[in-house]
């Protein structure tokens, strides 16, 4: 459900108590975005329970995650860090956006923009990897100065192609 206009959005650092909420946003966003791209049997192992376990490990281990909260409920997550090697591709920027997910009901509210600007300073050089077949996300990143640089990686486990965007 979309928040009422004027409903405050709280942007804050995640704590270990946020594992279930982060897992919900992550899993639900994947279902909303990738259901048409991934085989049906993918969801037999990619479950909310499994994501919750992963998020508990990450947050208990000190992962730095930024969350967006509306009316006490997590609706978005973002993570950035040092640029990574992906497949055969060396990083081309020192900083990388690892993840940015916002529940579909909150698309277009500015929450994604706020999360991006919180984890990466606006205009700062950075890189990210995005599903090649996710035009909505690619347009969002392009509006923020990220452009594809020709690097492409095929995640063979998922049969999902990702392209690197840089600014």
């Amino acid at each position: 459900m979309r928040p009422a206009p004027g409903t405050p959005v709280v942007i804050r650092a995640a704590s270990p108590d946020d594992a279930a909420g982060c897992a919900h946003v992550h899993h639900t966003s994947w279902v909303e975005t990738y259901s048409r791209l991934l085989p049906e049997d993918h969801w037999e192992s990619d479950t909310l329970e499994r994501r919750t376990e992963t998020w508990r490990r990450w947050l208990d281990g000190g992962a730095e995650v930024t969350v967006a909260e509306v009316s006490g409920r997590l609706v978005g997550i973002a993570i950035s860090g040092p640029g990574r090697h992906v497949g055969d591709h060396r990083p081309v920027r020192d900083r990388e956006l690892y993840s940015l997910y916002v529940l579909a009901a909150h698309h277009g509210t500015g929450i994604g923009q706020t999360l991006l600007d919180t984890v990466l300073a606006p205009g700062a050089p950075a890189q990210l990897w995005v599903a090649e077949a996710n035009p909505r996300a690619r347009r969002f990143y392009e509006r923020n100065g990220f452009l594809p640089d020709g690097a492409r990686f095929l995640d063979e486990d998922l049969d999902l192609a990702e392209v690197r965007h840089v600014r």
Side-chain angles (χ1 to χ4, degrees):
M1 174 174 23
R2 196 174 190 94
T7 302
V9 176
V10 175
I11 303 294
R12 61 176 177 78
S15 75
D17 292 339
D18 292 315
C22 289
H24 171 76
V25 169
H26 196 184
H27 186 264
T28 302
S29 295
W30 265 63
V31 170
E32 292 168 341
T33 304
Y34 300 116
S35 283
R36 64 181 176 77
L37 301 175
L38 298 174
E40 216 172 290
D41 65 351
H42 170 82
W43 306 107
E44 293 171 13
S45 63
D46 186 352
T47 64
L48 179 57
E49 293 77 18
R50 186 173 253 170
R51 294 243 184 188
T52 301
E53 291 170 18
T54 299
W55 276 97
R56 278 198 181 98
R57 263 194 328 276
W58 289 347
L59 292 174
D60 285 344
E64 294 182 26
V65 178
T66 300
V67 298
E69 185 178 64
V70 174
S71 301
R73 183 171 170 247
L74 294 190
V75 300
I77 57 175
I79 309 168
S80 68
R84 302 170 297 151
H85 281 81
V86 174
D88 295 333
H89 303 285
R90 300 180 58 107
V92 294
R93 298 289 189 264
D94 292 336
R95 297 293 299 164
E96 181 173 340
L97 178 67
Y98 300 148
S99 295
L100 174 61
Y101 294 105
V102 175
L103 296 175
H106 297 269
H107 286 177
T109 63
I111 291 172
Q113 186 67 57
T114 301
L115 283 168
L116 177 62
D117 291 346
T118 300
V119 301
L120 292 175
Q127 67 181 38
L128 59 88
W129 289 88
V130 60
E132 187 173 48
N134 187 347
R136 180 183 180 87
R138 293 183 70 180
R139 284 190 307 271
F140 171 79
Y141 294 128
E142 288 169 8
R143 282 194 309 272
N144 281 279
F146 289 92
L147 298 174
D149 73 347
R152 184 176 188 269
F153 172 74
L154 178 62
D155 184 330
E156 292 179 6
D157 292 336
L158 298 174
D159 193 28
L160 186 68
E162 297 178 57
V163 291
R164 183 172 59 200
H165 286 220
V166 299
R167 72 172 180 199

